[in-house]
Amino acid sequence: MKRLMTFIAAILLTTVAAMAQHEEGDFTVQPKVGLNIATLSDADKAITDLHFGIEAEYMVTDNFSLGLGAILSNQGAKYDYYDLDNERYKYTVDLDYVHVPVLASFYVLPGLAVKAGVQPGFKMRAKAKFDDRTIDLDELYKLGSELAGEDIKVSKFDLSIPVGISYEYKNIVLDARYNWGLLKVMNVGDAFYNRCFMLSLGYKLELGD
């Protein structure tokens, strides 16, 4: 029995050592790719799309880190609308952002971290997709602004609060987070905001000694 307990303890210690790969002062970069389930707060349905990017992380202590990233993310939502004959049509709002997440991570167990922070976002493109055509929303609202006599546009800047959890094993990282948008997507009309769940897979590369 004593030998069995010693053997089990050795396996557990080896497993923990494999998970706890980073310590105070370590600096890593993590290329990542993943899936978005995104919507807008006034939308009928969510869309599914991709994101990819890179994040850097510095271990302030053995259990606490600060991170900074750049992520290209496709977001938006699906809508239904009805014409004067009450016939239903569908369209998709397609928004491309470059997000810059600034995150604090707390390692509650070896390899397991909870995280939260702030995430500025910069709009790259805004489109509406119908069955047979795609419309550039910036161009459409520019024309609408001239006709309406007011400045109608999709906001160029977004700000969200990301919260999530990640698990790392042998430098492979599975990350799940939810981004809660704080700023209106449009500068007129009723307020609606970005909402996005992100699930990603990354690989940490340690830099330095």
Side-chain angles (χ1 to χ4, degrees):
M1 177 64 70
K2 184 177 180 180
R3 290 182 179 180
L4 177 60
M5 295 303 295
T6 302
F7 178 69
I8 293 173
I11 292 177
L12 290 174
L13 288 173
T14 301
T15 303
V16 169
M19 292 188 295
Q21 299 177 39
H22 307 294
E23 57 187 17
E24 180 180 344
D26 284 351
F27 181 76
T28 59
V29 294
Q30 181 193 160
K32 61 190 306 181
V33 64
L35 180 72
N36 285 349
I37 301 176
T39 190
L40 297 167
S41 57
D42 71 332
D44 297 305
K45 297 178 182 178
I47 65 168
T48 303
D49 218 304
L50 300 175
H51 68 267
F52 60 90
I54 190 167
E55 291 185 341
E57 182 180 19
Y58 177 74
M59 298 298 300
V60 180
T61 71
D62 289 350
N63 300 313
F64 173 72
S65 73
L66 295 175
L68 178 68
I71 299 176
L72 181 60
S73 180
N74 180 263
Q75 298 178 195
K78 294 182 179 180
Y79 290 86
D80 296 334
Y81 74 97
Y82 295 85
D83 62 14
L84 296 177
D85 297 324
N86 204 35
E87 185 174 354
R88 188 179 73 169
Y89 295 87
K90 298 180 180 181
Y91 69 96
T92 300
V93 172
D94 192 358
L95 304 171
D96 292 337
Y97 290 96
V98 172
H99 290 305
V100 184
V102 181
L103 293 169
S105 298
F106 300 88
Y107 286 83
V108 294
L109 291 172
L112 181 66
V114 293
K115 52 189 62 187
V118 294
Q119 180 171 270
F122 304 90
K123 186 203 69 185
M124 304 299 292
R125 185 172 56 179
K127 300 181 295 183
K129 297 180 179 179
F130 297 85
D131 291 336
D132 56 350
R133 66 190 186 281
T134 299
I135 297 174
D136 186 302
L137 289 179
D138 290 318
E139 292 297 324
L140 177 65
Y141 292 140
K142 182 179 179 181
L143 177 61
S145 297
E146 296 173 356
L147 296 175
E150 60 178 321
D151 186 21
I152 306 171
K153 61 184 178 182
V154 181
S155 300
K156 294 181 179 180
F157 180 75
D158 188 46
L159 183 66
S160 58
I161 299 294
V163 293
I165 189 169
S166 68
Y167 180 73
E168 177 185 354
Y169 181 74
K170 293 185 177 180
N171 294 70
I172 297 173
V173 182
L174 181 65
D175 186 292
R177 66 184 69 162
Y178 187 79
N179 299 319
W180 185 273
L182 300 178
L183 301 181
K184 292 174 62 174
V185 175
M186 293 284 296
N187 68 327
V188 296
D190 295 333
F192 56 99
Y193 305 87
N194 278 304
R195 304 284 187 257
C196 185
F197 173 76
M198 306 176 79
L199 181 65
S200 64
L201 188 66
Y203 188 85
K204 282 189 178 180
L205 302 169
E206 189 167 334
L207 302 182
D209 296 334

